[in-house]
Amino acid sequence: MSALQLEGLRKSFGSLRATDNVSLGVEDGECHAVIGPNGAGKTTLIGEITGEIAPDAGRISLFGVDVTSWNVPRRALSGLARSFQITQLAPGFTALDNAAFAVQARQGHSFRFIADARKDKRLREPALAALEQVGLADRADRNAEALSHGERRQLELAVALAMQPRLLLLDEPMAGMGPEEGARMVEILRGIKRTMTIVLVEHDMDAVFALADRVSVLVNGAILKTGTPREVRDDARVRDAYLGAGAH
Amino acid sequence: MLNRTNLATLLVVLAFLAVPMAATWLGTNYVITLATRVAIYGIVAVSLDMLVGRGNLVSFGHAAYFGLGGYAVAIASFHLANDVPIFGWSGTNEALIAWPLAMAVAGLAALVIGALSLRTAGVYFIMITLAFAQMLFFLFVALKYYGGDDGLSLSTRNLFAGNRITDSRTFYWICVSALALCVLLSWRILNSRFGMVLRGAAASERRMAALGFPVYRYRLAAFVIAGMMAGLAGALWANQNRFVSPDMLSWVRSGEFLVMVIMGGLSSLVGPVVGAAAFLLIESYLSGATEHWQMIFGPFVLLVAVFAPRGLWGAVRGKDRQ
Amino acid sequence: MQLFLEQLLNGLQLSLTLFLLAAGLTLVFGIMGVINLAHGSLYMIGAYAGAYAAAKTGTFWLALPAGLAAAALVGAAMEFIIVRRLYARDHLSQVLATFGLILFFNGFIAWSAGRSPLLIETPPQLAGFVEVLPGLRYPAYRLAMMAVGVAVALGLWWMISRTRVGMLIRAGSDKREMVEALGVDIAKLFTLVFALGALLAGLAGVMVGPIRSVQIGMGEQVLITTFVVIVVGGIGSIRGAFAGALLIGLCDTLGRAYVPMLLKSWLSGPLADGLGAALASVIIYLVMALVLVIRPRGLFPVSG
Ligand SMILES: Nc1ncnc2c1ncn2[C@@H]1O[C@H](COP(=O)(O)OP(=O)(O)O)[C@@H](O)[C@H]1O
Ligand SMILES: [Mg+2]
């Protein structure tokens, strides 16, 4: 069974085709990279998968279930997590709080009105474990907005991991990171790779080739090629379109 | 830990405890009347802060739930006085029945209005909550059977656990206890799992939705809880004044409630109570000094909004950690 | 039938008045992102300035420019002194600050003009009736009001779709840098737009003078109805303001005329009277609720 199945997805913003008839299957346990120049429609595609953006046409299935009509929270609860290209952490809350939100969401409804959530071990411990996983444990009590850029990217990932998703969508997790932080992120991702299905949007080709089982190239909203990293690298059209468009 | 915030909270508690003594000492009951009003408005302000401060939901119609609570009590009492008790049952004069009833009525209205208003956000939400409150205002103006414009008088206060509440001090303690309960309850709620979702959604709605929280439902629940608290305050107000009128639901009052919250300090539990006290003191002083007190109070509100959006409690809190 | 047509005209007349107010409010919100509760105060100021001028000079034709000038000047001053400090602030601060302004203006009018309602005399040239259809006589003054409303709507449409100012307005607040790059003084543009909104509010205020009493609180009453109009139409859209004004003006007028009557044919007795009046007075809010259920962002949603 495929973890994610997209069929004929289309989305236009005015006259601009941000997603142009995209069909794609991602196998269970696969790490699938999506690359493409800026403005190719990668973030839009992620938005359509999570339910934030309603496609004009096409279908989306998660683990064999058609979720096209589901809203964002419902898809999330069915095992879908994402990181945001532009970090969307809750300001005013600590790193641990941010991860605890994810744990709380996974534990069912939160219509519990009396017990102090910040003293709840069932929230704190898994949240701390997620922070440890990305190496942020010593920042647990820092407010999210007081973290460095690299740390915020790590926290984005920790929050997604704390959801214990079956399918993880990562939107440029290494954007704006230094080489050291980037290498560290690759290590973290390598560690979780086989434990869940991953769709990785990334510009850093080294990271993509280090992690991905298969790669899809998106150009002008359409998939130009899908194949193994080697196949994609050797494809002349990809070189033309992608490198010609001026990205890395 | 005795930081500035806790010290100020302690002072507020002591002030409430000292009111009856102060009244004896000054030889005037007006202190009690005013402090009772502070407690009642304090409940409204605390409940409104749960929405505005914690939930980032600027409701401009909170007076509607306050008024509904008042009318629920008054209408029950009106039917009793005219020998047509509701459902032929005279139990509705008991506070322990009438007040929860008032809360239920207000909560029900909040459920319906919230369900509609929360489909929108931002400035739409402000305008729509205001409009629905105005609708209820006109409804009571048009209901001539219940006094219309002129309002409705209660022949007596509700009985409290079977006892008549004639003494203003007794009533004061009832109101202060209700306020304390509401503050404590808000405090628990805001730190609970539920409260975390509500506050998290105010900080980043996108994030909370992506985590799997159906944010709308949590907000609606908060809207209903806040409406019920305001309803309780309305019931108390009706009992204090033995009178209700559409004025309780007017948009000016909704605006005043917001002023109390901001003046006291958003997201601070005790701040809104201080805001209610400050508002009532200023109002009572200014309106005693001049008939045109709004000419002074209006610019004051404006200055608070522009220059002191953190309010009094923001100043108290100073550098204390949140 | 005749009664119905007359009510229809009354409804249109209310619609056009509401449109004058809604247009200014929605422009200010659409362009500057400010929610201005004191818009109703500008309406009241227009009416009072008009009433004052009419009382002093004895003619409506001087009341009109006086009301317009007063509202526009107060509006421009309001923008210059206060509102521009609120552009970057959240809606809560804007609501509160402009709420303070309302209190001030109400207090100021009570202090300077007293609390008793005033009336502006209908100009004698428009005092009569016009036979609109055979057998249907309608006050000339109200017809003139409607004509002004239509003219303003056309003028706004022309301004927004055909002029440079209109282009800047359409560019909207989020494209501030772009507009500034064109060498436009944004601050001045904002003052201008705000004053224009105030002028329209003042116009509505003076024109209403001869058919309704001029009194404190008239602004807030109509302001909230105006909110309903722009929520229904879609905030920020002039077209939405026009459609919303028509819908709300007609529903309100026809509702008040016919709902109690209809209710009486089903129910009887004093209960029907009371219920009918109550229902009629809340009908526009029910319309708003209905629109919200179907289209939460109004009939003509503005993207972005
Ligand atoms: N909400 C939107 N409205 C209009 N255009 C949009 C919107 N979101 C994205 N776009 C446009 O769609 C195209 C794809 O954007 P995006 O998905 O963010 O690309 P990528 O993530 O591959 O860089 C871009 O040209 C972008 O400007
Ligand atoms: Mg992107």
Side-chain angles (χ1 to χ4, degrees):
Chain A
M1 181 184 61
S2 58
L4 173 69
Q5 190 74 49
L6 308 178
E7 285 163 42
L9 223 50
R10 289 175 200 272
K11 177 74 191 179
S12 300
F13 295 113
S15 60
L16 178 94
R17 286 200 195 149
T19 307
D20 190 3
N21 197 18
V22 167
S23 297
L24 177 70
V26 177
E27 292 307 311
D28 209 353
E30 182 184 349
C31 178
H32 195 111
V34 176
I35 63 173
N38 267 328
K42 305 180 296 290
T43 299
T44 305
L45 195 62
I46 298 240
E48 286 167 287
I49 299 171
T50 60
E52 262 188 7
I53 299 174
D56 301 331
R59 313 214 66 77
I60 300 166
S61 308
L62 294 178
F63 307 102
V65 182
D66 187 331
V67 300
T68 315
S69 65
W70 292 14
N71 64 9
V72 176
R74 190 165 175 206
R75 290 187 204 190
L77 288 179
S78 78
L80 178 65
R82 75 169 301 180
S83 78
F84 290 88
Q85 182 177 358
I86 300 165
T87 38
Q88 293 283 335
L89 300 163
F93 291 88
T94 64
L96 191 61
D97 287 334
N98 270 280
F101 280 137
V103 179
Q104 192 178 321
R106 170 165 56 82
Q107 289 180 357
H109 73 80
S110 289
F111 287 98
R112 299 185 192 173
F113 296 91
I114 301 300
D116 193 331
R118 284 200 167 107
K119 294 188 179 134
D120 192 335
K121 282 210 177 66
R122 284 168 308 159
L123 295 177
R124 298 277 111 171
E125 280 169 4
L128 200 58
L131 292 184
E132 262 158 19
Q133 213 174 344
V134 302
L136 267 186
D138 58 332
R139 292 281 185 272
D141 292 326
R142 278 271 175 98
N143 265 8
E145 66 272 22
L147 298 175
S148 74
H149 175 80
E151 288 169 339
R152 282 208 290 269
R153 305 294 317 170
Q154 287 169 335
L155 183 52
E156 271 281 333
L157 180 63
V159 173
L161 292 178
M163 289 173 75
Q164 298 193 341
R166 290 203 281 166
L167 172 59
L168 176 62
L169 311 176
L170 298 171
D171 197 352
E172 303 202 18
M174 282 151 228
M177 278 190 168
E180 252 169 64
E181 286 172 323
R184 173 152 189 199
M185 186 65 97
V186 171
E187 278 319 301
I188 297 168
L189 293 180
R190 209 196 296 279
I192 59 171
K193 204 177 134 182
R194 291 282 164 242
T195 62
M196 62 188 76
T197 312
I198 298 176
V199 172
L200 171 69
V201 170
E202 187 47 65
H203 267 314
D204 185 334
M205 285 305 138
D206 294 338
V208 167
F209 289 119
L211 293 167
D213 302 313
R214 285 196 301 158
V215 179
S216 289
V217 184
L218 202 64
V219 176
N220 293 332
I223 291 190
L224 188 68
K225 172 152 184 90
T226 296
T228 63
R230 184 177 299 275
E231 284 165 8
V232 167
R233 185 165 36 187
D234 296 343
D235 190 296
R237 281 183 312 155
V238 171
R239 288 195 173 206
D240 283 355
Y242 191 43
L243 301 176
H248 304 273
Chain B
M1 190 175 53
L2 203 64
N3 57 20
R4 290 159 59 125
T5 315
N6 291 346
L7 190 65
T9 307
L10 190 67
L11 284 178
V12 171
V13 173
L14 288 178
F16 272 112
L17 294 178
V19 161
M21 273 183 282
T24 311
W25 192 50
L26 294 170
T28 162
N29 244 352
Y30 182 64
V31 180
I32 302 243
T33 310
L34 194 64
T36 307
R37 228 185 287 160
V38 169
I40 293 173
Y41 282 141
I43 294 175
V44 185
V46 167
S47 71
L48 184 57
D49 184 43
M50 188 188 293
L51 300 178
V52 180
R54 310 303 181 126
N56 196 15
L57 303 168
V58 182
S59 167
F60 203 141
H62 214 50
Y65 316 106
F66 178 71
L68 279 174
Y71 264 98
V73 166
I75 286 174
S77 145
F78 169 81
H79 281 280
L80 209 58
N82 289 297
D83 286 328
V84 277
I86 299 175
F87 308 127
W89 182 52
S90 59
T92 48
N93 201 32
E94 167 58 52
L96 298 180
I97 305 228
W99 298 357
L101 182 79
M103 293 171 74
V105 169
L108 199 65
L111 181 67
V112 175
I113 293 175
L116 286 165
S117 322
L118 287 167
R119 290 168 59 85
T120 67
V123 67
Y124 276 88
F125 183 78
I126 298 176
M127 293 186 186
I128 291 162
T129 47
L130 172 59
F132 279 127
Q134 192 71 358
M135 172 180 96
L136 290 172
F137 171 83
F138 282 128
L139 199 65
F140 282 106
V141 168
L143 281 177
K144 296 284 179 267
Y145 186 66
Y146 294 127
D149 253 339
D150 300 330
L152 201 56
S153 290
L154 284 74
S155 49
T156 61
R157 279 189 185 148
N158 291 131
L159 299 175
F160 192 84
N163 304 305
R164 295 185 55 187
I165 327 167
T166 42
D167 175 29
S168 63
R169 286 171 195 239
T170 314
F171 188 67
Y172 171 73
W173 287 120
I174 290 175
C175 292
V176 170
S177 311
L179 171 65
L181 272 178
C182 287
V183 171
L184 283 177
L185 190 66
S186 301
W187 176 59
R188 298 304 308 186
I189 288 178
L190 290 168
N191 289 302
S192 69
R193 288 188 180 217
F194 173 83
M196 291 301 273
V197 178
L198 182 69
R199 292 157 57 195
S204 175
E205 178 167 0
R206 248 182 116 190
R207 159 61 75 194
M208 295 313 267
L211 290 180
F213 293 109
V215 168
Y216 175 85
R217 285 183 220 166
Y218 291 90
R219 289 186 167 155
L220 185 55
F223 203 80
V224 171
I225 293 170
M228 288 172 74
M229 283 191 192
L232 173 64
L236 293 173
W237 196 92
N239 270 281
Q240 184 184 20
N241 299 290
R242 292 204 281 118
F243 173 70
V244 298
S245 76
D247 193 47
M248 278 182 88
L249 303 89
S250 82
W251 72 275
V252 178
R253 204 173 284 259
S254 290
E256 287 174 353
F257 289 155
L258 278 174
V259 171
M260 291 176 200
V261 175
I262 310 294
M263 220 158 71
L266 283 171
S267 308
S268 59
L269 274 179
V270 186
V273 180
V274 176
F279 177 91
L280 286 169
L281 286 174
I282 295 173
E283 184 196 55
S284 112
Y285 174 76
L286 282 182
S287 61
T290 161
E291 177 197 357
H292 304 294
W293 66 280
Q294 288 189 329
M295 253 175 88
I296 301 163
F297 190 64
F300 174 74
V301 169
L302 197 154
L303 291 176
V304 168
V306 175
F307 295 111
R310 295 185 48 190
L312 288 168
W313 207 255
V316 167
R317 188 145 55 185
K319 292 191 180 65
D320 283 3
R321 258 195 70 126
Q322 300 205 3
Chain C
M1 190 62 199
Q2 190 149 329
L3 180 70
F4 176 75
L5 285 176
E6 196 175 328
Q7 292 296 353
L8 204 62
L9 284 172
N10 284 341
L12 282 176
Q13 183 255 310
L14 175 63
S15 298
L16 288 161
T17 305
L18 285 175
F19 171 70
L20 289 180
L21 285 156
L25 202 60
T26 210
L27 266 183
V28 166
F29 183 78
I31 295 166
M32 306 155 191
V34 166
I35 167 170
N36 176 24
L37 294 184
H39 198 68
S41 297
L42 296 165
Y43 168 83
M44 175 179 76
I45 287 167
Y48 267 94
Y52 179 79
K56 282 276 177 247
T57 66
T59 164
F60 177 83
W61 303 112
L62 287 174
L64 191 62
L68 292 182
L73 282 178
V74 172
M78 208 158 108
E79 198 277 343
F80 196 76
I81 300 169
I82 293 150
V83 177
R84 63 174 47 185
R85 292 170 209 283
L86 300 172
Y87 292 143
R89 302 289 290 273
D90 55 8
H91 292 318
L92 181 59
S93 299
Q94 298 171 354
V95 161
L96 213 66
T98 51
F99 176 70
L101 280 176
I102 296 182
L103 296 184
F104 170 74
F105 284 124
N106 284 350
F108 176 77
I109 295 281
W111 172 71
S112 59
R115 291 191 194 275
S116 40
L118 308 175
L119 203 72
I120 303 179
E121 292 265 342
T122 310
Q125 295 87 338
L126 296 170
F129 286 79
V130 174
E131 187 149 346
V132 196
L133 284 173
L136 177 62
R137 284 155 48 81
Y138 199 71
Y141 182 76
R142 285 173 182 256
L143 286 175
M145 275 179 85
M146 289 159 71
V148 171
V150 171
V152 168
L154 289 174
L156 279 177
W157 171 78
W158 174 79
M159 186 188 84
I160 288 175
S161 60
R162 294 294 149 89
T163 68
R164 198 171 126 82
V165 174
M167 187 210 76
L168 295 174
I169 288 173
R170 271 180 295 140
S173 55
D174 39 317
K175 304 211 179 77
R176 196 177 168 133
E177 291 86 17
M178 189 193 89
V179 175
E180 259 167 352
L182 294 175
V184 176
D185 185 347
I186 280 275
K188 220 178 261 170
L189 178 73
F190 281 10
T191 312
L192 202 75
V193 171
F194 200 89
L196 174 68
L199 183 93
L200 295 178
L203 175 63
V206 193
M207 287 203 311
V208 151
I211 59 177
R212 286 202 203 147
S213 58
V214 173
Q215 57 187 329
I216 294 163
M218 66 189 283
E220 290 79 67
Q221 177 47 55
V222 81
L223 174 83
I224 296 172
T225 314
T226 307
F227 278 173
V228 174
V229 165
I230 64 178
V231 165
V232 165
I235 303 178
S237 155
I238 294 281
R239 209 157 34 127
F242 194 76
L246 276 182
L247 183 65
I248 293 304
L250 288 174
C251 284
D252 191 48
T253 310
L254 297 178
R256 278 176 207 279
Y258 290 104
V259 165
M261 245 201 271
L262 285 175
L263 215 63
K264 246 188 210 154
S265 62
W266 289 336
L267 298 167
S268 59
L271 188 63
D273 280 346
L275 220 57
L279 197 59
S281 65
V282 302
I283 217 153
I284 59 170
Y285 304 97
L286 300 180
V287 171
M288 178 181 81
L290 193 70
V291 170
L292 278 176
V293 170
I294 304 165
R295 307 190 65 151
R297 296 187 65 85
L299 298 174
F300 293 92
V302 175
S303 55

